[in-house]
Amino acid sequence: MYFMSHEERLFYDMYDRLCKAISLSADGNLTALKNLIEDQNFDLAFCYQEYRLSAVTIASMQGGKGAEIMVDYLLRKGAKPTFEALCRFAEEGNVSAMRKLIAWGLPINTSKEKQTILDFCLQLAKEQKESKGGVDPRLEAVFDFLIDRGAKTTAELKAEGNFARRRAIVKKEAQVKMARKSIKKQQRKAKQTVRER
């Protein structure tokens, strides 16, 4: 029989309490979360040691406007912005939440498992095109935001300062252009369908 150490019990207790507080405040009502953090002196960095999840990542998983409100609150209380949260908001097309994470110090070209946020979005566009026959139009705003902020692919970052860099830039531009083209085509189809009815 396995017995948890005191530290493990504390960790799981804190993790459980944070998940419950976030679940209670998923609609954007921060009362439960504020109670946990302010009244119980909750350590916002605790989950990193075991799960590599921060409070910000867990909050972003809730989705919707409530997640953005919670993430904003957590960042103001000292939690660190995370790549996982950035990816989650990119999937939703929530540029304002992405902007907040970058403003709070998350580098635009941060990467995880050799994938930058731009790589993630390009892969997402490719998967959507293959599985759904089109790319979610909300991704267009995400691409605009990322390109304007100087986001790069992993290939570009690796090739900084040589010919391969130019090739990586051209490839990135082509991929973004194809994703945007797919979005425009999908929008034209939708408009045409509406007119025909």
Side-chain angles (χ1 to χ4, degrees), residues 22-103:
I22 286 174
S23 175
L24 288 170
S25 54
D27 61 353
N29 179 350
L30 294 173
T31 308
L33 197 57
K34 284 181 179 177
N35 175 50
L36 179 71
I37 291 167
E38 293 169 10
D39 297 345
Q40 297 180 32
N41 259 345
F42 192 79
D43 177 13
L44 286 170
F46 85 95
C47 313
Y48 243 78
Q49 67 196 37
E50 186 80 21
Y51 286 115
R52 298 289 178 247
L53 288 176
S54 74
V56 168
T57 301
I58 295 167
S60 71
M61 291 176 186
Q62 299 297 317
K65 190 66 180 170
E68 184 180 346
I69 292 168
M70 286 186 292
V71 165
D72 186 51
Y73 171 76
L74 290 166
L75 291 170
R76 282 188 278 115
K77 286 296 177 181
K80 301 288 181 238
T82 64
F83 181 76
E84 294 84 359
L86 191 64
C87 291
R88 180 75 183 102
F89 287 127
E91 280 184 88
E92 290 181 8
N94 189 340
V95 174
S96 76
M98 292 174 73
R99 190 174 280 117
K100 284 175 187 166
L101 291 169
I102 300 299

Side-chain angles (χ1 to χ4, degrees), residues 1-6 8-9:
M1 179 177 234
Y2 175 75
F3 291 99
M4 280 195 272
S5 69
H6 178 68
E8 286 176 311
R9 262 197 309 281

